[in-house]
Amino acid sequence: MLITGSGIENPGTILGVEKEESAAGDWRPPTATWTPPDGYFGLGKLRKIQGFLLWGEANASENPVVEEKRERLVELLRGGRRVLVFTGAGISTGSGIPDFRGPDGVWKRRQPVYYHDFMRSEAARVEHWDYKLEAWTAFRDARPNATHAAIVQLEHAGKLAAVVTQNIDGLHARAGTAAEKLVELHGTNSLVECQTCGRRSEPEPHFDYFRETHRPPLCECGGFLKPATISFGQNLRTEDLRRAESAAKAADLVLALGSTLSVYPAANIPLLAAGRRAPYVIINRGPTDHDEFSELTLRLEGDVTEIFPPAVAAVLPEWSSSSSSSS
């Protein structure tokens, strides 16, 4: 199971990321080049992983403890057949998605609107749409990064049980994760949903309407429209929980990426797999609520994008060879 949770000046950041499309218009990993500014040399090394330029951690290979942990991650990936990926905000900040809970996060400046307030108060609906509009451009223009691409590689190799994400940015879907493999526990900003009839629609026209009128948009049925995310005080979708739990119970490896594992009930999902003795790996910059749990097999501290894609890249040739020989 894989759980995932920025700026160009941080080691491990994706550099020179630009959207590329195939003739069919689908997203591909970027291949743009980038020249480090003065002062970057000596801090680390520039590497290319799966079409992304990564600014690597300085002398990581010279630290025997770090190197041993990364080799252990490769071993676990090599043995995984049904990998459950659980992701959090830490995998998306490098794609330009705003942080909500961090020291400079959105919620330091404004309070989230609770669902029951949204449903009963026009003022609350205005506030909700206003704060969603503030971040809409960032969400709309964000592109998947090397971590999202590496997860898709797992799927293409036939090793992915499911991606269970807390993220609402839609980047897993944009990267190419199949809908049947993706569980967006907290919903998605990529759609707007009527709270009465359940009809879903594209967000852009509704944001344009709100920007022009400062009035919350309504559905044709008269119901309140809201970005299709799970608000505070709103129940998670039963079907999403069922799918996540089913994947966790079938997984033989759990990877938690970029999550502090502090938001429940989502954070229980990796533990369902780990409780069945599936190896449990956490990769995150900063502490998580599961760091001291006995179920934890391997803990790697640092930027997910610096650690995870190279590990997947190391195993891919073996998976490709195995797939070719079996066919």
Side-chain angles (χ1 to χ4, degrees):
M1 175 176 191
L2 172 64
I3 304 179
T4 65
S6 74
I8 200 168
E9 60 272 16
N10 290 332
T13 293
I14 300 160
L15 307 177
V17 173
E18 297 291 343
K19 181 183 179 183
E20 289 193 1
E21 296 182 351
S22 69
D26 54 334
W27 178 89
R28 288 180 175 176
T31 55
T33 58
W34 178 82
T35 302
D38 292 341
Y40 269 77
F41 296 103
L43 295 177
K45 55 187 178 181
L46 193 61
R47 295 183 297 137
K48 191 171 185 178
I49 298 292
Q50 297 178 356
F52 294 84
L53 289 174
L54 304 182
W55 188 252
E57 201 174 275
N59 302 320
S61 62
E62 297 176 12
N63 184 324
V65 175
V66 171
E67 189 65 19
E68 182 179 349
K69 286 187 174 184
R70 296 191 181 198
E71 290 176 0
R72 176 62 172 149
L73 173 61
V74 171
E75 288 178 12
L76 291 170
L77 283 171
R78 184 177 289 121
R81 296 178 181 274
R82 299 178 303 279
V83 182
L84 178 58
V85 178
F86 182 96
T87 65
I91 71 163
S92 295
T93 51
S95 293
I97 298 298
D99 181 22
F100 284 84
R101 290 186 174 81
D104 300 316
V106 174
W107 290 338
K108 296 295 182 182
R109 294 181 289 102
R110 57 197 312 169
Q111 294 299 308
V113 174
Y114 279 73
Y115 185 69
H116 67 273
D117 291 328
F118 179 93
M119 294 301 294
R120 69 187 183 187
S121 165
E122 177 77 2
R125 289 190 288 277
V126 169
E127 170 63 18
H128 183 76
W129 274 94
D130 193 57
Y131 110 80
K132 285 290 188 178
L133 178 61
E134 179 182 323
W136 168 240
T137 300
F139 277 103
R140 182 195 62 197
D141 297 342
R143 294 294 177 263
N145 60 49
T147 298
H148 300 98
I151 295 169
V152 174
Q153 296 271 19
L154 279 177
E155 181 181 348
H156 290 172
K159 303 295 183 178
L160 185 68
V163 176
V164 178
T165 185
Q166 298 168 282
N167 298 338
I168 60 174
D169 50 45
L171 291 179
H172 285 299
R174 290 188 191 184
T177 297
E180 61 269 22
K181 294 286 187 179
L182 179 60
V183 183
E184 295 173 309
L185 279 180
H186 295 163
T188 177
N189 259 338
S190 300
L191 294 167
V192 165
E193 184 176 57
C194 176
Q195 302 306 294
T196 300
C197 71
R199 179 177 178 270
R200 289 187 162 195
S201 53
E202 293 297 317
E204 194 75 48
H206 303 303
F207 280 112
D208 288 343
Y209 173 83
F210 180 77
R211 188 184 293 111
E212 294 170 4
T213 67
H214 210 60
R215 294 203 304 264
L218 297 175
C219 180
E220 293 177 0
C221 77
F224 302 135
L225 291 177
K226 186 177 83 69
T229 56
I230 302 298
S231 298
F232 280 86
Q234 185 177 7
N235 291 332
L236 299 185
R237 294 179 177 85
T238 302
E239 176 61 16
D240 290 340
L241 282 172
R242 185 198 65 77
R243 290 179 60 215
E245 291 170 358
S246 177
K249 291 174 182 176
D252 61 7
L253 174 62
V254 182
L255 303 176
L257 307 181
S259 174
T260 60
L261 300 166
S262 59
V263 178
Y264 290 83
N268 280 324
I269 298 300
L271 296 176
L272 291 177
R276 297 174 38 259
R277 299 184 183 278
Y280 183 16
V281 178
I282 296 174
I283 307 174
N284 192 58
R285 186 186 295 280
T288 82
D289 282 12
H290 291 187
D291 286 351
E292 304 302 323
F293 283 16
S294 60
E295 294 90 345
L296 184 60
T297 304
L298 179 64
R299 173 69 165 94
L300 293 100
E301 169 65 30
D303 190 303
V304 176
T305 305
E306 164 63 19
I307 298 169
F308 182 66
V312 172
V315 185
L316 275 177
E318 300 173 27
W319 288 339
S320 298
S321 174
S322 174
S323 176
S324 299
S325 61
S326 63
S327 60

mmCIF file of all heavy atoms in Angstrom, residues 204-241:
data_model
loop_
_atom_site.group_PDB
_atom_site.id
_atom_site.type_symbol
_atom_site.label_atom_id
_atom_site.label_comp_id
_atom_site.label_asym_id
_atom_site.label_seq_id
_atom_site.Cartn_x
_atom_site.Cartn_y
_atom_site.Cartn_z
ATOM 1 N N GLU A 204 -15.162 24.988 -14.314
ATOM 2 C CA GLU A 204 -14.818 26.308 -14.843
ATOM 3 C C GLU A 204 -16.015 27.237 -15.032
ATOM 4 O O GLU A 204 -15.973 28.404 -14.592
ATOM 5 C CB GLU A 204 -14.055 26.163 -16.161
ATOM 6 C CG GLU A 204 -13.369 27.433 -16.631
ATOM 7 C CD GLU A 204 -12.106 27.759 -15.843
ATOM 8 O OE1 GLU A 204 -11.276 26.855 -15.666
ATOM 9 O OE2 GLU A 204 -11.963 28.920 -15.401
ATOM 10 N N PRO A 205 -17.120 26.793 -15.650
ATOM 11 C CA PRO A 205 -18.255 27.710 -15.816
ATOM 12 C C PRO A 205 -18.826 28.197 -14.491
ATOM 13 O O PRO A 205 -19.264 29.357 -14.386
ATOM 14 C CB PRO A 205 -19.278 26.860 -16.581
ATOM 15 C CG PRO A 205 -18.485 25.792 -17.248
ATOM 16 C CD PRO A 205 -17.360 25.496 -16.312
ATOM 17 N N HIS A 206 -18.811 27.349 -13.487
ATOM 18 C CA HIS A 206 -19.360 27.735 -12.180
ATOM 19 C C HIS A 206 -18.456 28.751 -11.474
ATOM 20 O O HIS A 206 -18.955 29.687 -10.833
ATOM 21 C CB HIS A 206 -19.560 26.492 -11.316
ATOM 22 C CG HIS A 206 -20.452 25.468 -11.942
ATOM 23 N ND1 HIS A 206 -21.744 25.742 -12.348
ATOM 24 C CD2 HIS A 206 -20.221 24.162 -12.267
ATOM 25 C CE1 HIS A 206 -22.283 24.645 -12.875
ATOM 26 N NE2 HIS A 206 -21.372 23.674 -12.829
ATOM 27 N N PHE A 207 -17.142 28.571 -11.608
ATOM 28 C CA PHE A 207 -16.231 29.558 -11.035
ATOM 29 C C PHE A 207 -16.335 30.887 -11.772
ATOM 30 O O PHE A 207 -16.263 31.954 -11.157
ATOM 31 C CB PHE A 207 -14.790 29.033 -11.048
ATOM 32 C CG PHE A 207 -14.477 28.090 -9.929
ATOM 33 C CD1 PHE A 207 -14.231 26.741 -10.168
ATOM 34 C CD2 PHE A 207 -14.433 28.534 -8.612
ATOM 35 C CE1 PHE A 207 -13.951 25.867 -9.132
ATOM 36 C CE2 PHE A 207 -14.144 27.666 -7.564
ATOM 37 C CZ PHE A 207 -13.910 26.330 -7.828
ATOM 38 N N ASP A 208 -16.514 30.829 -13.093
ATOM 39 C CA ASP A 208 -16.695 32.064 -13.855
ATOM 40 C C ASP A 208 -17.947 32.802 -13.384
ATOM 41 O O ASP A 208 -17.930 34.040 -13.226
ATOM 42 C CB ASP A 208 -16.809 31.752 -15.352
ATOM 43 C CG ASP A 208 -15.483 31.329 -15.963
ATOM 44 O OD1 ASP A 208 -14.430 31.578 -15.344
ATOM 45 O OD2 ASP A 208 -15.510 30.743 -17.070
ATOM 46 N N TYR A 209 -19.010 32.048 -13.178
ATOM 47 C CA TYR A 209 -20.274 32.658 -12.720
ATOM 48 C C TYR A 209 -20.101 33.302 -11.351
ATOM 49 O O TYR A 209 -20.527 34.447 -11.121
ATOM 50 C CB TYR A 209 -21.364 31.579 -12.662
ATOM 51 C CG TYR A 209 -22.665 32.057 -12.051
ATOM 52 C CD1 TYR A 209 -23.601 32.751 -12.812
ATOM 53 C CD2 TYR A 209 -22.951 31.812 -10.705
ATOM 54 C CE1 TYR A 209 -24.796 33.192 -12.251
ATOM 55 C CE2 TYR A 209 -24.136 32.246 -10.134
ATOM 56 C CZ TYR A 209 -25.053 32.939 -10.915
ATOM 57 O OH TYR A 209 -26.232 33.380 -10.344
ATOM 58 N N PHE A 210 -19.447 32.581 -10.433
ATOM 59 C CA PHE A 210 -19.264 33.133 -9.089
ATOM 60 C C PHE A 210 -18.352 34.346 -9.118
ATOM 61 O O PHE A 210 -18.583 35.333 -8.406
ATOM 62 C CB PHE A 210 -18.701 32.073 -8.150
ATOM 63 C CG PHE A 210 -18.482 32.579 -6.750
ATOM 64 C CD1 PHE A 210 -19.544 32.746 -5.874
ATOM 65 C CD2 PHE A 210 -17.208 32.928 -6.301
ATOM 66 C CE1 PHE A 210 -19.354 33.223 -4.584
ATOM 67 C CE2 PHE A 210 -17.005 33.402 -5.027
ATOM 68 C CZ PHE A 210 -18.083 33.561 -4.162
ATOM 69 N N ARG A 211 -17.317 34.309 -9.957
ATOM 70 C CA ARG A 211 -16.388 35.431 -10.062
ATOM 71 C C ARG A 211 -17.111 36.690 -10.554
ATOM 72 O O ARG A 211 -16.845 37.797 -10.084
ATOM 73 C CB ARG A 211 -15.249 35.059 -11.019
ATOM 74 C CG ARG A 211 -14.116 36.081 -11.050
ATOM 75 C CD ARG A 211 -13.067 35.696 -12.078
ATOM 76 N NE ARG A 211 -12.352 34.479 -11.722
ATOM 77 C CZ ARG A 211 -12.467 33.320 -12.360
ATOM 78 N NH1 ARG A 211 -13.306 33.207 -13.390
ATOM 79 N NH2 ARG A 211 -11.775 32.264 -11.984
ATOM 80 N N GLU A 212 -18.044 36.509 -11.449
ATOM 81 C CA GLU A 212 -18.763 37.656 -12.021
ATOM 82 C C GLU A 212 -19.886 38.174 -11.129
ATOM 83 O O GLU A 212 -20.140 39.382 -11.063
ATOM 84 C CB GLU A 212 -19.338 37.256 -13.387
ATOM 85 C CG GLU A 212 -18.269 36.974 -14.439
ATOM 86 C CD GLU A 212 -18.866 36.351 -15.692
ATOM 87 O OE1 GLU A 212 -20.124 36.222 -15.755
ATOM 88 O OE2 GLU A 212 -18.084 35.994 -16.602
ATOM 89 N N THR A 213 -20.577 37.264 -10.435
ATOM 90 C CA THR A 213 -21.787 37.653 -9.681
ATOM 91 C C THR A 213 -21.603 37.668 -8.171
ATOM 92 O O THR A 213 -22.382 38.283 -7.457
ATOM 93 C CB THR A 213 -22.936 36.690 -10.004
ATOM 94 O OG1 THR A 213 -22.614 35.381 -9.484
ATOM 95 C CG2 THR A 213 -23.170 36.601 -11.511
ATOM 96 N N HIS A 214 -20.582 36.924 -7.699
ATOM 97 C CA HIS A 214 -20.374 36.694 -6.270
ATOM 98 C C HIS A 214 -21.599 36.032 -5.626
ATOM 99 O O HIS A 214 -21.896 36.229 -4.451
ATOM 100 C CB HIS A 214 -20.015 37.988 -5.531
ATOM 101 C CG HIS A 214 -19.134 37.756 -4.331
ATOM 102 N ND1 HIS A 214 -17.888 37.176 -4.426
ATOM 103 C CD2 HIS A 214 -19.323 38.006 -2.999
ATOM 104 C CE1 HIS A 214 -17.357 37.081 -3.241
ATOM 105 N NE2 HIS A 214 -18.206 37.564 -2.350
ATOM 106 N N ARG A 215 -22.302 35.249 -6.433
ATOM 107 C CA ARG A 215 -23.434 34.468 -5.929
ATOM 108 C C ARG A 215 -23.126 32.990 -6.145
ATOM 109 O O ARG A 215 -22.679 32.597 -7.234
ATOM 110 C CB ARG A 215 -24.727 34.834 -6.655
ATOM 111 C CG ARG A 215 -25.209 36.245 -6.401
ATOM 112 C CD ARG A 215 -26.714 36.359 -6.672
ATOM 113 N NE ARG A 215 -27.040 35.935 -8.023
ATOM 114 C CZ ARG A 215 -27.169 36.782 -9.057
ATOM 115 N NH1 ARG A 215 -26.995 38.084 -8.881
ATOM 116 N NH2 ARG A 215 -27.477 36.323 -10.258
ATOM 117 N N PRO A 216 -23.359 32.130 -5.147
ATOM 118 C CA PRO A 216 -23.107 30.701 -5.315
ATOM 119 C C PRO A 216 -23.978 30.129 -6.429
ATOM 120 O O PRO A 216 -25.181 30.417 -6.479
ATOM 121 C CB PRO A 216 -23.491 30.103 -3.951
ATOM 122 C CG PRO A 216 -23.442 31.247 -3.005
ATOM 123 C CD PRO A 216 -23.830 32.457 -3.788
ATOM 124 N N PRO A 217 -23.414 29.347 -7.319
ATOM 125 C CA PRO A 217 -24.195 28.791 -8.424
ATOM 126 C C PRO A 217 -25.180 27.725 -7.943
ATOM 127 O O PRO A 217 -24.974 27.085 -6.907
ATOM 128 C CB PRO A 217 -23.132 28.184 -9.342
ATOM 129 C CG PRO A 217 -21.975 27.897 -8.445
ATOM 130 C CD PRO A 217 -21.991 28.951 -7.393
ATOM 131 N N LEU A 218 -26.245 27.555 -8.701
ATOM 132 C CA LEU A 218 -27.263 26.560 -8.404
ATOM 133 C C LEU A 218 -27.363 25.563 -9.554
ATOM 134 O O LEU A 218 -27.092 25.890 -10.718
ATOM 135 C CB LEU A 218 -28.624 27.220 -8.187
ATOM 136 C CG LEU A 218 -28.759 28.179 -7.008
ATOM 137 C CD1 LEU A 218 -30.135 28.835 -7.022
ATOM 138 C CD2 LEU A 218 -28.518 27.461 -5.691
ATOM 139 N N CYS A 219 -27.806 24.361 -9.236
ATOM 140 C CA CYS A 219 -28.054 23.334 -10.236
ATOM 141 C C CYS A 219 -29.359 23.654 -10.977
ATOM 142 O O CYS A 219 -30.204 24.417 -10.492
ATOM 143 C CB CYS A 219 -28.148 21.973 -9.552
ATOM 144 S SG CYS A 219 -28.448 20.573 -10.669
ATOM 145 N N GLU A 220 -29.545 23.033 -12.127
ATOM 146 C CA GLU A 220 -30.796 23.193 -12.862
ATOM 147 C C GLU A 220 -31.989 22.720 -12.046
ATOM 148 O O GLU A 220 -33.113 23.208 -12.229
ATOM 149 C CB GLU A 220 -30.719 22.426 -14.183
ATOM 150 C CG GLU A 220 -29.705 22.992 -15.167
ATOM 151 C CD GLU A 220 -29.610 22.160 -16.425
ATOM 152 O OE1 GLU A 220 -30.342 21.140 -16.525
ATOM 153 O OE2 GLU A 220 -28.814 22.513 -17.319
ATOM 154 N N CYS A 221 -31.739 21.777 -11.130
ATOM 155 C CA CYS A 221 -32.824 21.271 -10.284
ATOM 156 C C CYS A 221 -33.114 22.195 -9.110
ATOM 157 O O CYS A 221 -34.062 21.957 -8.351
ATOM 158 C CB CYS A 221 -32.506 19.871 -9.779
ATOM 159 S SG CYS A 221 -31.305 19.816 -8.419
ATOM 160 N N GLY A 222 -32.298 23.239 -8.946
ATOM 161 C CA GLY A 222 -32.469 24.166 -7.833
ATOM 162 C C GLY A 222 -31.591 23.859 -6.634
ATOM 163 O O GLY A 222 -31.559 24.622 -5.661
ATOM 164 N N GLY A 223 -30.857 22.736 -6.681
ATOM 165 C CA GLY A 223 -29.999 22.353 -5.565
ATOM 166 C C GLY A 223 -28.727 23.175 -5.502
ATOM 167 O O GLY A 223 -28.316 23.808 -6.481
ATOM 168 N N PHE A 224 -28.087 23.149 -4.340
ATOM 169 C CA PHE A 224 -26.838 23.880 -4.148
ATOM 170 C C PHE A 224 -25.699 23.127 -4.820
ATOM 171 O O PHE A 224 -25.545 21.914 -4.652
ATOM 172 C CB PHE A 224 -26.528 24.047 -2.658
ATOM 173 C CG PHE A 224 -27.586 24.750 -1.884
ATOM 174 C CD1 PHE A 224 -27.999 24.259 -0.642
ATOM 175 C CD2 PHE A 224 -28.198 25.900 -2.374
ATOM 176 C CE1 PHE A 224 -28.974 24.902 0.078
ATOM 177 C CE2 PHE A 224 -29.181 26.556 -1.655
ATOM 178 C CZ PHE A 224 -29.578 26.049 -0.427
ATOM 179 N N LEU A 225 -24.874 23.862 -5.570
ATOM 180 C CA LEU A 225 -23.682 23.279 -6.179
ATOM 181 C C LEU A 225 -22.480 23.506 -5.273
ATOM 182 O O LEU A 225 -22.348 24.564 -4.652
ATOM 183 C CB LEU A 225 -23.419 23.905 -7.544
ATOM 184 C CG LEU A 225 -24.419 23.572 -8.657
ATOM 185 C CD1 LEU A 225 -24.055 24.323 -9.931
ATOM 186 C CD2 LEU A 225 -24.476 22.069 -8.916
ATOM 187 N N LYS A 226 -21.608 22.500 -5.223
ATOM 188 C CA LYS A 226 -20.404 22.569 -4.395
ATOM 189 C C LYS A 226 -19.310 21.764 -5.077
ATOM 190 O O LYS A 226 -19.597 20.708 -5.650
ATOM 191 C CB LYS A 226 -20.690 21.989 -2.997
ATOM 192 C CG LYS A 226 -19.539 22.133 -2.000
ATOM 193 C CD LYS A 226 -19.955 21.604 -0.623
ATOM 194 C CE LYS A 226 -19.820 20.112 -0.510
ATOM 195 N NZ LYS A 226 -18.406 19.651 -0.521
ATOM 196 N N PRO A 227 -18.053 22.255 -5.074
ATOM 197 C CA PRO A 227 -16.970 21.391 -5.556
ATOM 198 C C PRO A 227 -17.071 20.015 -4.903
ATOM 199 O O PRO A 227 -17.397 19.905 -3.714
ATOM 200 C CB PRO A 227 -15.710 22.150 -5.120
ATOM 201 C CG PRO A 227 -16.139 23.592 -5.191
ATOM 202 C CD PRO A 227 -17.560 23.590 -4.685
ATOM 203 N N ALA A 228 -16.797 18.967 -5.680
ATOM 204 C CA ALA A 228 -17.076 17.597 -5.248
ATOM 205 C C ALA A 228 -16.032 17.063 -4.274
ATOM 206 O O ALA A 228 -15.503 15.956 -4.419
ATOM 207 C CB ALA A 228 -17.180 16.690 -6.463
ATOM 208 N N THR A 229 -15.724 17.874 -3.262
ATOM 209 C CA THR A 229 -14.817 17.478 -2.189
ATOM 210 C C THR A 229 -15.628 17.208 -0.932
ATOM 211 O O THR A 229 -16.768 17.668 -0.799
ATOM 212 C CB THR A 229 -13.792 18.578 -1.904
ATOM 213 O OG1 THR A 229 -14.493 19.796 -1.605
ATOM 214 C CG2 THR A 229 -12.894 18.814 -3.113
ATOM 215 N N ILE A 230 -15.039 16.462 -0.016
ATOM 216 C CA ILE A 230 -15.694 16.189 1.266
ATOM 217 C C ILE A 230 -15.376 17.333 2.218
ATOM 218 O O ILE A 230 -14.222 17.538 2.596
ATOM 219 C CB ILE A 230 -15.218 14.848 1.858
ATOM 220 C CG1 ILE A 230 -15.499 13.711 0.879
ATOM 221 C CG2 ILE A 230 -15.894 14.600 3.197
ATOM 222 C CD1 ILE A 230 -16.961 13.488 0.569
ATOM 223 N N SER A 231 -16.397 18.078 2.606
ATOM 224 C CA SER A 231 -16.210 19.211 3.514
ATOM 225 C C SER A 231 -16.145 18.723 4.956
ATOM 226 O O SER A 231 -16.537 17.596 5.277
ATOM 227 C CB SER A 231 -17.370 20.200 3.369
ATOM 228 O OG SER A 231 -17.426 20.733 2.066
ATOM 229 N N PHE A 232 -15.649 19.581 5.836
ATOM 230 C CA PHE A 232 -15.676 19.275 7.260
ATOM 231 C C PHE A 232 -17.124 19.028 7.679
ATOM 232 O O PHE A 232 -18.030 19.777 7.308
ATOM 233 C CB PHE A 232 -15.095 20.436 8.067
ATOM 234 C CG PHE A 232 -13.598 20.467 8.081
ATOM 235 C CD1 PHE A 232 -12.900 21.091 7.060
ATOM 236 C CD2 PHE A 232 -12.886 19.858 9.103
ATOM 237 C CE1 PHE A 232 -11.516 21.114 7.071
ATOM 238 C CE2 PHE A 232 -11.503 19.876 9.118
ATOM 239 C CZ PHE A 232 -10.818 20.505 8.096
ATOM 240 N N GLY A 233 -17.338 17.952 8.442
ATOM 241 C CA GLY A 233 -18.677 17.623 8.891
ATOM 242 C C GLY A 233 -19.483 16.820 7.889
ATOM 243 O O GLY A 233 -20.619 16.436 8.181
ATOM 244 N N GLN A 234 -18.906 16.539 6.715
ATOM 245 C CA GLN A 234 -19.597 15.754 5.686
ATOM 246 C C GLN A 234 -19.076 14.326 5.719
ATOM 247 O O GLN A 234 -17.866 14.088 5.849
ATOM 248 C CB GLN A 234 -19.358 16.371 4.306
ATOM 249 C CG GLN A 234 -20.116 15.716 3.170
ATOM 250 C CD GLN A 234 -19.891 16.425 1.842
ATOM 251 O OE1 GLN A 234 -19.066 17.347 1.731
ATOM 252 N NE2 GLN A 234 -20.602 16.015 0.809
ATOM 253 N N ASN A 235 -19.975 13.363 5.620
ATOM 254 C CA ASN A 235 -19.578 11.960 5.672
ATOM 255 C C ASN A 235 -18.790 11.558 4.426
ATOM 256 O O ASN A 235 -19.081 12.029 3.313
ATOM 257 C CB ASN A 235 -20.809 11.062 5.784
ATOM 258 C CG ASN A 235 -21.510 11.198 7.122
ATOM 259 O OD1 ASN A 235 -20.892 11.509 8.135
ATOM 260 N ND2 ASN A 235 -22.817 10.985 7.122
ATOM 261 N N LEU A 236 -17.794 10.705 4.635
ATOM 262 C CA LEU A 236 -17.126 10.097 3.488
ATOM 263 C C LEU A 236 -18.118 9.200 2.765
ATOM 264 O O LEU A 236 -19.069 8.686 3.362
ATOM 265 C CB LEU A 236 -15.920 9.275 3.938
ATOM 266 C CG LEU A 236 -14.790 10.009 4.665
ATOM 267 C CD1 LEU A 236 -13.638 9.042 4.926
ATOM 268 C CD2 LEU A 236 -14.301 11.201 3.885
ATOM 269 N N ARG A 237 -17.877 9.005 1.483
ATOM 270 C CA ARG A 237 -18.778 8.162 0.704
ATOM 271 C C ARG A 237 -18.566 6.694 1.082
ATOM 272 O O ARG A 237 -17.448 6.189 1.088
ATOM 273 C CB ARG A 237 -18.537 8.382 -0.790
ATOM 274 C CG ARG A 237 -18.913 9.780 -1.255
ATOM 275 C CD ARG A 237 -18.629 9.964 -2.742
ATOM 276 N NE ARG A 237 -19.057 11.277 -3.195
ATOM 277 C CZ ARG A 237 -18.332 12.389 -3.106
ATOM 278 N NH1 ARG A 237 -17.105 12.331 -2.588
ATOM 279 N NH2 ARG A 237 -18.803 13.550 -3.521
ATOM 280 N N THR A 238 -19.658 6.024 1.356
ATOM 281 C CA THR A 238 -19.605 4.622 1.791
ATOM 282 C C THR A 238 -18.909 3.743 0.770
ATOM 283 O O THR A 238 -18.091 2.878 1.117
ATOM 284 C CB THR A 238 -21.020 4.090 2.056
ATOM 285 O OG1 THR A 238 -21.652 4.907 3.056
ATOM 286 C CG2 THR A 238 -20.985 2.650 2.543
ATOM 287 N N GLU A 239 -19.173 3.973 -0.510
ATOM 288 C CA GLU A 239 -18.578 3.151 -1.557
ATOM 289 C C GLU A 239 -17.064 3.359 -1.622
ATOM 290 O O GLU A 239 -16.303 2.411 -1.839
ATOM 291 C CB GLU A 239 -19.213 3.475 -2.911
ATOM 292 C CG GLU A 239 -18.602 2.748 -4.102
ATOM 293 C CD GLU A 239 -18.707 1.225 -4.011
ATOM 294 O OE1 GLU A 239 -19.504 0.710 -3.196
ATOM 295 O OE2 GLU A 239 -17.971 0.549 -4.762
ATOM 296 N N ASP A 240 -16.608 4.600 -1.417
ATOM 297 C CA ASP A 240 -15.168 4.870 -1.418
ATOM 298 C C ASP A 240 -14.480 4.142 -0.268
ATOM 299 O O ASP A 240 -13.404 3.555 -0.438
ATOM 300 C CB ASP A 240 -14.906 6.374 -1.323
ATOM 301 C CG ASP A 240 -15.289 7.107 -2.599
ATOM 302 O OD1 ASP A 240 -15.393 6.449 -3.652
ATOM 303 O OD2 ASP A 240 -15.477 8.335 -2.535
ATOM 304 N N LEU A 241 -15.079 4.195 0.912
ATOM 305 C CA LEU A 241 -14.512 3.488 2.067
ATOM 306 C C LEU A 241 -14.479 1.984 1.815
ATOM 307 O O LEU A 241 -13.500 1.309 2.154
ATOM 308 C CB LEU A 241 -15.319 3.799 3.325
ATOM 309 C CG LEU A 241 -15.068 5.147 3.989
ATOM 310 C CD1 LEU A 241 -16.075 5.381 5.109
ATOM 311 C CD2 LEU A 241 -13.644 5.228 4.547
#
